[in-house]
Amino acid sequence: MHPDLSPHLHTEECNVLINLLKDCHKNHSVLKFFGYCNDLDREMRKCLKKEYVEKRIKSREHGNAMRKRLYNSPNESES
């Protein structure tokens, strides 16, 4: 299972892959069950994973910066 595939949630690169996969499923309604669209699906999942990892790293950096700001503020204001 993959995350929500709404266009506003993903990069343009992943949106292109998502649309290609949707078109493949629409145009090959029977062959999709025999793996016809699997290559597109793998590429889409790889792109979504890359986005997820980038968001996770950015969130971790933001959290570390906020923690540092929170813990350093009382020390700086006492001086």
Side-chain angles (χ1 to χ4, degrees):
M1 204 63 172
H2 39 71
D4 184 11
L5 299 179
S6 299
H8 68 281
L9 297 174
H10 302 288
T11 62
E12 190 60 36
E13 175 190 0
C14 288
N15 282 330
V16 169
L17 292 170
I18 290 167
N19 289 331
L20 286 172
L21 180 64
K22 285 181 179 179
D23 288 342
C24 183
H25 283 173
K26 186 171 69 174
N27 295 331
H28 306 285
S29 57
V30 174
L31 290 176
K32 70 181 178 182
F33 296 112
F34 297 103
Y36 189 81
C37 303
N38 282 356
D39 291 336
L40 287 172
D41 187 51
R42 283 187 203 99
E43 290 300 314
M44 182 201 64
R45 282 187 279 131
K46 192 184 305 182
C47 185
L48 294 177
K49 182 176 181 176
K50 186 176 83 169
E51 279 184 350
Y52 172 75
V53 168
E54 289 171 358
K55 287 179 186 178
R56 191 174 65 190
I57 290 170
K58 183 179 176 185
S59 178
R60 182 176 293 139
E61 289 171 354
H62 178 71
N64 288 339
M66 294 304 286
R67 249 182 254 102
K68 183 183 277 189
R69 195 173 115 204
L70 179 67
Y71 292 131
N72 288 341
S73 287
N75 296 337
E76 293 172 2
S77 62
E78 290 176 4
S79 299

